[in-house]
Amino acid sequence: MLSLDSVDNYEDLLNLVYQNHQLIQISTRGNGTIGEDITFNKQLIKNIPFFLKEIADGEVRGEVYMQKEEFYRLNEELKKSGNKLLANPRNAAAGSLRTLIPLQGRNLHFFAYQLLNNDLPNQLSCLQKLEKLGFSVSPDYRLFRNIEKVANFIQEQEKKREKLGFETYKFPASVTSSLVKNIYVEVSRSGRITYVAEIIPVILQGSKITKTTLHNYAFIHNLKLNIDDEVVIKKAGDVIPQITQIYQLCKNHDCPQKTVNYLAHFASKNGLDIKGISQKNIQKLYEKNLLSRITDFYQLHQKEQELLKLEGLEKKSVNNMLTSIENSKKKPFANLLTALGIPLLSSVKTKKITKFYPDLTSFTGALENNE
């Protein structure tokens, strides 16, 4: 299994903290900045040492996984009991660790890949040290001296994929998204017509992309492509940028479903992390005209009696929700930027931006100065 520490969702990546040789905390990496303490479920992970003999204080990172055999066994039990089946081993592993419901019948495993705050010279030494400490590491790690051998190794691992007892990492295609600014025609010296989309510039695999081929009219017609569409772009053969699909956009500013989803995104964990207000509750508040724009969140404390009349909302849950809304005002600026759902601005890009512009004043100032 190949684990990379550069993904957007870290729910199956874990931090193990040791003090005085003892394991004192296990937490998920969460969104890369804020995770969840899941120490209470440490017994589910069958192959992590609770005591380190050689190191008193340290932190280990790795990935939790569920073996396929265990996944099939659990689904068979769930099927017999008439319960909902697990979707896949990876989600099952992450979900098992985060649940508050006792699940001692489940067996998870852990591959370690990083030992923090050490003076080891390279990753190979790190993996060897982790093994010596009693951690399991990916059994097929190798040291290569050139990139060609790395590529060959990846191809070999792909062939073994179905035979492995766990799910392997699959490299995603290099893709990004942008908006179509214009569509025009280029004519070659031989008279061949090619349709081209001019897009808002984006960086893909280290190069700046300003336009992409549309091949021919049939391609445009089949995609139903229009100016101002948001599109997915990838490099064919890692070289030629091309549009692969269109994000169909509802342009109705009063669309109920779009509004509810936007409000839910604003309150989500990656946004302002307003606890106690699920999408289902947001739907109820929207239908009762209590919530239709993000500023309405901060007026709900004036409508406590109306909130208590809603089905499923009791005084304690309402108080917790209002407290969380108040606490959201203290969240980092990066959370606010993500919560606003600005097109083409992912949470990863947001974190990079806020390194240079750490607050709203500096950010808006940069926009005004076209920085």
Side-chain angles (χ1 to χ4, degrees):
M1 181 174 65
L2 179 62
S3 296
L4 299 182
D5 199 10
S6 59
V7 293
D8 288 336
N9 183 6
Y10 299 86
E11 294 299 349
D12 52 358
L13 304 185
L14 302 184
N15 273 28
L16 279 59
V17 178
Y18 291 83
Q19 286 184 6
N20 296 323
H21 302 281
Q22 300 286 343
L23 175 64
I24 65 162
Q25 185 184 61
I26 304 177
S27 60
T28 70
R29 297 288 307 284
N31 60 10
T33 303
I34 301 173
E36 295 181 43
D37 188 335
I38 49 93
T39 313
F40 57 88
N41 269 329
K42 66 181 181 181
Q43 298 294 342
L44 294 181
I45 309 174
K46 305 305 179 184
N47 64 335
I48 56 172
F50 293 164
F51 179 86
L52 296 183
K53 186 176 181 180
E54 291 189 26
I55 295 179
D57 301 319
E59 184 174 346
V60 173
R61 288 179 179 174
E63 183 166 1
V64 68
Y65 66 96
M66 178 180 288
Q67 293 179 339
K68 288 182 179 178
E69 184 178 330
E70 172 72 0
F71 173 74
Y72 298 141
R73 182 188 71 80
L74 286 173
N75 263 350
E76 190 63 32
E77 290 183 1
L78 291 170
K79 185 177 180 180
K80 289 178 180 178
S81 59
N83 290 311
K84 184 178 179 181
L85 301 184
L86 302 170
N88 56 64
R90 188 167 190 169
N91 289 355
S96 297
L97 282 178
R98 297 172 64 204
T99 183
L100 298 176
I101 303 171
L103 294 172
Q104 296 307 317
R106 297 191 180 187
N107 300 305
L108 304 178
H109 290 79
F110 179 79
F111 276 147
Y113 60 77
Q114 188 176 18
L115 177 63
L116 299 186
N117 302 321
N118 69 79
D119 55 359
L120 299 171
N122 51 47
Q123 180 64 12
L124 178 63
S125 301
C126 180
L127 292 173
Q128 291 171 339
K129 180 67 174 180
L130 287 166
E131 285 186 294
K132 189 176 180 181
L133 290 172
F135 290 95
S136 296
V137 301
S138 178
D140 289 329
Y141 68 83
R142 302 282 190 278
L143 175 64
F144 298 108
R145 300 296 181 185
N146 60 65
I147 195 63
E148 289 78 14
K149 290 185 178 180
V150 173
N152 291 336
F153 177 73
I154 291 173
Q155 291 178 359
E156 291 172 7
Q157 293 302 302
E158 281 294 321
K159 294 176 183 177
K160 298 179 182 178
R161 183 178 183 185
E162 295 303 321
K163 298 179 181 179
L164 296 175
F166 46 82
E167 287 198 339
T168 57
Y169 180 88
K170 186 176 182 181
F171 286 102
S174 295
V175 299
T176 188
S177 60
S178 185
L179 295 176
V180 177
K181 293 170 59 179
N182 191 21
I183 297 174
Y184 59 92
V185 171
E186 288 183 346
V187 182
S188 71
R189 61 182 177 82
S190 64
R192 182 177 178 179
I193 295 175
T194 302
Y195 292 84
V196 178
E198 180 186 359
I199 62 172
I200 293 178
V202 291
I203 302 297
L204 182 60
Q205 289 184 306
S207 58
K208 185 177 181 180
I209 310 297
T210 59
K211 63 180 183 178
T212 175
T213 179
L214 297 176
H215 306 294
N216 50 50
Y217 178 77
F219 180 84
I220 299 172
H221 178 74
N222 291 336
L223 274 182
K224 298 180 180 178
L225 182 67
N226 290 292
I227 293 172
D228 292 331
D229 280 346
E230 184 176 0
V231 294
V232 177
I233 300 167
K234 78 171 186 178
K235 283 189 174 181
D238 287 340
V239 178
I240 302 172
Q242 64 180 22
I243 292 173
T244 58
Q245 71 181 86
I246 299 173
Y247 289 122
Q248 298 293 335
L249 299 177
C250 173
K251 297 183 179 180
N252 176 11
H253 294 297
D254 298 319
C255 171
Q257 188 172 352
K258 184 169 76 170
T259 300
V260 169
N261 285 331
Y262 177 66
L263 293 170
H265 170 77
F266 183 83
S268 69
K269 186 175 180 179
N270 286 335
L272 289 187
D273 195 18
I274 300 176
K275 302 185 187 304
I277 185 160
S278 64
Q279 183 154 341
K280 186 177 180 180
N281 285 336
I282 288 175
Q283 181 75 44
K284 291 179 183 178
L285 295 173
Y286 177 81
E287 291 172 355
K288 295 295 182 181
N289 295 319
L290 295 173
L291 189 63
S292 60
R293 53 178 62 90
I294 57 177
T295 53
D296 291 340
F297 279 109
Y298 302 97
Q299 305 299 322
L300 288 177
H301 66 281
Q302 301 174 3
K303 303 173 182 178
E304 185 173 350
Q305 294 306 314
E306 294 175 71
L307 293 174
L308 291 171
K309 294 177 183 178
L310 296 178
E311 183 182 353
L313 288 180
E314 299 179 356
K315 187 169 182 61
K316 183 178 180 180
S317 58
V318 168
N319 287 340
N320 289 340
M321 180 178 68
L322 294 177
T323 299
S324 187
I325 290 173
E326 185 64 26
N327 291 338
S328 72
K329 298 177 183 178
K330 304 173 186 176
K331 295 290 182 181
F333 179 53
N335 288 71
L336 175 60
L337 267 187
T338 301
L340 292 175
I342 300 171
L344 306 182
L345 189 60
S346 67
S347 58
V348 175
K349 292 177 182 176
T350 295
K351 290 173 185 175
K352 292 180 179 179
I353 288 173
T354 52
K355 286 182 180 179
F356 298 96
Y357 308 106
D359 52 47
L360 185 60
T361 302
S362 59
F363 180 71
T364 53
L367 293 178
E368 291 171 358
N369 295 326
N370 293 318
E371 292 185 16

